Amino acid sequence: MLISDVQGFLRNIPDDHRLRVGPFTAKIDPDDPDLPFNHAVPDDGAVPTPADVAALVAAFRARSRVPRLEYIPRAAPEVEPVLLAAGFTPEGRYPLLVCPPSQVTDVPLDPSLRVDLVPASATDDLWAVARVTNAAFDAPPPADHDLARMLRLLAEDGLIAAARDTATGEIVGAGQLLAPRAGVAEVAGIATAPTHRRRGIAGAVTALLTRAGAKAGITTLFLTPADDQAARVYARVGYRKEGEALFISLTS
């Protein structure tokens, strides 16, 4: 049930730009070509035909986006072979980590830093969060659509956290809890400025978002770390592996 709940969240994140193509739900951002904001998720148990995949590819290319998917293979095991046959290449397989609300653990944070939630009214802080986040993920400098996305997230009961250097007031780390759906939410966009790494920011931001989400009634909190080092940070907060996520795209 847990895998199905998470897959359902991935497929049903509130989004005005959601598109149904065969057994896929595609999310295509008209303003931002960055890969995380443009991907499809298959239905649970989907058995797509080559024609379904061709239609999905056409939908992405008609919008000048890379055809790609982010999903949990265990929820739809028949999908990957059809994608591979169509020329898709895995970008990576990432552990799916889940933290029961009762198991959230605070981690040490450098005393020169403070981590807080950012309200929608603090637009200067939200711009700073966007700068730190985009730099950490090698995305272009923030634009109006980045701010609009964060404001939409906050309006939909998501959360944004920022780590601040108390001496300078500078925001040097950030993270988000995406808008929950049916008691499920994803922790994402955990970022730290290069000048402030190895000071506990990622763990502290994750713990704050996880604890705040649990307090708001979210029962399933999950994330997909980029590598083993990040996974170890989240393990200290209380996250444990429950499966695997696949990111796969067609680049040729």
Side-chain angles (χ1 to χ4, degrees), residues 181-209:
R181 189 171 184 89
V184 182
E186 180 182 10
V187 175
I190 303 297
T192 302
T195 54
H196 286 71
R197 288 176 182 160
R198 300 187 182 279
R199 299 194 193 182
I201 289 176
V205 167
T206 302
L208 174 65
L209 291 170

Side-chain angles (χ1 to χ4, degrees), residues 127-151:
W127 277 112
V129 164
R131 285 192 291 272
V132 169
T133 303
N134 287 22
F137 289 94
D138 295 322
D144 288 344
H145 62 257
D146 292 289
L147 179 62
R149 183 186 297 116
M150 290 189 289
L151 291 172

Side-chain angles (χ1 to χ4, degrees), residues 7 33 74 91 131 140 216 223:
Q7 183 90 322
R74 205 163 91 197
E91 299 171 9
R131 285 192 291 272
L223 52 78

